[in-house]
Amino acid sequence: MTTTSTTSPTRKGAAANTAYVPELREVGTFVDERVRALQGGYLKDLSAAVSTLAKLRRGAGKPIEAVPELVGLTLDHRFYETFPVEDPRTEAAEAAAHEALTLYALHQQSKRERGMHKRGIGLGGAVRRLMPGGDIDEPLRKRFVQAGSAADHATRLDRLRGIVSLLRTEDIPLDYGLLADQLHDARTPAGAARVRRAWGRGFQAHRPERVDGAAPDAEPGAPDGDSPDGDSPDAAPES
């Protein structure tokens, strides 16, 4: 997998921090492109995007088989150009794309001034932003750990819905392309362990806003910059 690197500004005498950001894989790339299109339309109050996101919200936190009527809204011919219908592995990719897109629809609800999808913001760093000043909110930390350590994927998805609702309340964005790749990976025991470690690293590595009121440093691996349509680290301590 190819990576990009960024070097963050450092204090005098501190070592340079070079972070490596994995590029999105195929599921994440599809979701990133789909979300950008929906987000751009929603922020412009285009009726098609507003209507689509309203319908997709009904599937947030639910597995794809629970809301089959939404499949035509989350997946299209472009998806199947990458994931052949005949390939048995396509089923897992379909589910991950659906899960990420419906969670994004919940996250963006009523947010007309700012896009809630932003590249480079992993789940761990996003949750840490819910804790002002860098202090650990233990109930929230436990809730986050429970999402990462869920015994099955359906439970993980339901717990993520609760976390996304909290992020929405506080206007904290998330990288839904990255989340889609992680939800895809988490469908196997080994993948779930990788995702849990990634969420934990992102949570621990996030640096809170500086006391001088300046903008917070980028998370390790987060690209600089922000834009309304999302053109712009990863994510929960293990128990």
Side-chain angles (χ1 to χ4, degrees):
M1 180 188 303
T2 58
T3 60
T4 57
S5 63
T6 60
T7 302
S8 301
T10 57
R11 295 182 299 275
K12 184 177 181 180
N17 173 34
T18 301
Y20 297 90
V21 187
E23 293 182 355
L24 296 177
R25 299 193 292 273
E26 291 175 324
V27 175
T29 296
F30 170 81
V31 168
D32 176 63
E33 292 173 353
R34 181 83 172 110
V35 169
R36 285 176 189 271
L38 288 169
Q39 183 163 274
Y42 188 82
L43 295 178
K44 295 174 182 176
D45 200 25
L46 299 182
S47 59
V50 172
S51 173
T52 296
L53 288 180
K55 294 173 183 176
L56 290 178
R57 282 197 295 273
R58 299 201 301 266
K62 300 176 183 178
I64 191 170
E65 58 270 19
V67 281
E69 69 276 12
L70 299 183
V71 172
L73 294 176
T74 54
L75 308 174
D76 59 18
H77 68 280
R78 291 167 297 179
F79 179 87
Y80 294 105
E81 287 171 359
T82 302
F83 299 95
V85 175
E86 306 81 13
D87 191 332
R89 294 171 296 181
T90 292
E91 184 175 343
E94 289 173 333
H98 162 89
E99 291 160 4
L101 285 164
T102 52
L103 285 171
Y104 164 73
L106 172 66
H107 199 164
Q108 190 64 53
Q109 183 181 12
S110 301
K111 303 295 182 183
R112 298 303 184 97
E113 303 300 322
R114 183 185 182 194
M116 291 293 104
H117 166 56
K118 180 181 178 182
R119 282 286 286 123
I121 304 297
L123 186 66
V127 169
R128 192 62 182 268
R129 283 174 165 85
L130 290 168
M131 304 178 185
D135 295 332
I136 299 297
D137 180 319
E138 188 58 22
L140 178 56
R141 189 196 73 85
K142 288 183 178 179
R143 189 171 185 173
F144 184 45
V145 170
Q146 288 170 349
S149 60
D152 58 77
H153 194 70
T155 301
R156 180 184 301 108
L157 192 58
D158 181 65
R159 290 171 177 173
L160 284 175
R161 187 188 192 283
I163 290 173
V164 166
S165 293
L166 294 176
L167 296 176
R168 176 185 169 277
T169 298
E170 298 300 325
D171 290 334
I172 297 171
L174 185 64
D175 184 339
Y176 278 90
L178 176 60
L179 182 64
D181 277 336
Q182 292 173 333
L183 289 172
H184 188 215
D185 199 21
R187 302 187 83 81
T188 66
R194 285 192 296 271
V195 170
R196 185 167 57 249
R197 290 193 296 269
W199 288 353
R201 286 193 298 270
F203 182 92
Q204 299 292 358
H206 173 69
R207 291 166 293 185
E209 185 172 347
R210 299 196 298 270
V211 294
D212 59 6
D217 293 333
E219 291 183 45
D224 293 333
D226 190 6
S227 64
D229 62 359
D231 285 338
S232 62
D234 236 275
E238 299 180 58
S239 55

